[in-house]
Amino acid sequence: MRAARLIKMVLLLQSKPSMTAAELARELEVSERTVTRDAQALSEAGVPVYADRGRAGGYRLIGGYRTRLTGLARGEAEALFLSGVPGALRDMGLEDAASAARLKVSAALLPSVRDASRTVAQRFHLDAPNWFKEPKTPELLPAVADAVWDDRRVVARYWRGEGEVVRELEPYGLVLKAGVWYLCARVAGRGSYRVYRIDRFTAVEAGEERFARDEEFDLPAFWEERAEQFARSILRAEVVVRLSADGVTGLPYAVDPHSAREALAAAGAPDEDGRVTVTLPVESEEVAHSQLAALGPEAEVLAPASLRARFASDATRLARLYGPLNRT
């Protein structure tokens, strides 16, 4: 443990001109007294750590000293590619590995480009979860992530319907979609890949046996195809809607965007009022009612009659609600 801390201290000092004892203590998560002892141990081992005294003093490496201990471990290199998604790293238990990887890369860079990670972080950030949702990290996510990194088979117990199911899985990849974690895996002994919500797992046990990963498996392509299949599978009803120009623009934001684009592409020319009539696949009449209500007067439902009647009732209630104020 101390050896790893000493290496990290050298890399920190190599990446910056100098650091105070307080700064080093904060980075290393130790006391300033421990920093002093570690600096002395490094000096005795031949690492030229110099302590500047005084209020503005600190520690620095002298004589252009550079360590060769900048090789990335496998886990650090893998974590580095995820460093733009800090929340995901934290959820999977890889935050420390990513921090070590960034530090090693910083120490290996020339001084002129050493602040690249800071300047990039100031300009780009990925925030995966949806607005107005409090994401919850599944308790078993770190165990699943470990199995994914190591290509280890797992025995997983999860909820399906009203009961629990046990499966031996070959975990291929993790996907974070709108704050929800999914596992793409293959059932051991079968050739098909499936998708599992990790928050439905009740137990995960990784064995010692590794599976032979299919190198042709393309996680982004698989997820895109499966997500589109899922979206289509739940669209079991149809509605006919007459849209204004603003309604055409807003439709992909109110309903499933793939279905909206296909419906608009199949629509005919605008009528004399400039409105376009589309046939739109939807999940249900109830869902269509809540989704299309967001378009307000820019969408007129023509069919089914029952849905049109619901919107007519809404319009009557709104007209009554927003009529002339007559309150005493």
Side-chain angles (χ1 to χ4, degrees):
M1 186 70 176
R2 190 189 185 198
R5 189 175 72 241
L6 292 174
I7 292 173
K8 185 174 182 179
M9 184 174 179
V10 173
L11 293 173
L12 284 167
L13 294 174
Q14 185 173 306
S15 64
K16 298 183 179 181
S18 68
M19 296 183 70
T20 65
E23 291 172 335
L24 285 168
R26 185 169 56 253
E27 291 287 343
L28 299 172
E29 298 181 349
V30 296
S31 67
E32 292 186 29
R33 181 173 296 182
T34 299
V35 168
T36 300
R37 288 198 297 264
D38 286 351
Q40 183 177 353
L42 287 171
S43 181
E44 292 173 353
V47 178
V49 178
Y50 180 78
D52 290 318
R53 305 299 178 183
R55 181 179 300 177
Y59 293 91
R60 59 187 175 88
L61 295 175
I62 61 175
Y65 179 87
R66 296 185 65 80
T67 177
R68 294 183 180 274
L69 297 174
T70 53
L72 293 180
R74 178 182 177 85
E76 294 169 344
E78 291 167 335
L80 186 61
F81 285 102
L82 290 168
S83 59
V85 197
L89 282 169
R90 183 174 56 253
D91 292 348
M92 290 189 290
L94 294 172
E95 193 170 29
D96 289 343
S99 176
R102 288 191 292 267
L103 182 58
K104 288 183 178 182
V105 169
S106 179
L109 293 174
L110 294 173
S112 60
V113 296
R114 199 168 284 161
D115 67 341
S117 61
R118 179 183 60 83
T119 58
V120 170
Q122 289 175 337
R123 291 163 173 80
F124 300 101
H125 176 68
L126 175 62
D127 184 10
N130 274 342
W131 288 103
F132 313 120
K133 284 189 177 181
E134 187 66 29
K136 295 182 179 180
T137 302
E139 182 179 346
L140 296 174
L141 177 60
V144 176
D146 284 345
V148 170
W149 292 124
D150 291 339
D151 292 341
R152 293 187 184 276
R153 287 185 176 179
V154 299
V155 176
R157 185 184 299 272
Y158 65 96
W159 282 103
R160 188 177 70 180
E162 297 182 355
E164 282 190 321
V165 178
V166 179
R167 291 285 186 272
E168 185 179 8
L169 303 176
E170 297 175 350
Y172 266 72
L174 292 167
V175 175
L176 176 60
K177 171 68 173 179
V180 179
W181 284 95
Y182 296 88
L183 172 67
C184 301
R186 185 164 57 182
V187 178
R190 304 181 188 178
S192 60
Y193 297 94
R194 301 181 183 182
V195 176
Y196 301 87
R197 277 186 62 146
I198 296 180
D199 58 7
R200 293 179 182 167
F201 285 0
T202 58
V204 173
E205 183 178 351
E208 294 299 322
E209 181 183 0
R210 285 186 168 87
F211 63 90
R213 175 177 287 268
D214 180 2
E215 297 301 331
E216 299 298 319
F217 178 75
D218 186 333
L219 179 59
F222 168 78
W223 176 258
E224 182 178 3
E225 178 184 359
R226 190 56 58 92
E228 185 173 348
Q229 289 175 358
F230 174 76
R232 292 179 183 278
S233 70
I234 63 174
L235 303 179
R236 301 186 178 93
E238 284 187 346
V239 298
V240 180
V241 188
R242 187 167 169 259
L243 301 164
S244 68
D246 287 341
V248 168
T249 301
L251 187 64
Y253 300 97
V255 302
D256 175 66
H258 294 288
S259 301
R261 286 192 287 268
E262 290 183 0
L264 290 170
D271 59 22
E272 58 185 11
D273 295 325
R275 289 186 171 249
V276 174
T277 299
V278 300
T279 300
L280 183 70
V282 294
E283 184 175 346
S284 66
E285 184 173 315
E286 289 72 21
V287 172
H289 178 252
S290 64
Q291 291 176 332
L292 294 174
L295 297 177
E298 310 306 328
E300 177 191 1
V301 173
L302 303 179
S306 56
L307 182 57
R308 181 178 175 85
R310 293 180 69 169
F311 276 101
S313 175
D314 291 346
T316 300
R317 291 168 59 197
L318 284 169
R320 188 182 304 119
L321 183 66
Y322 287 99
L325 288 175
N326 186 21
R327 299 173 182 173
T328 58

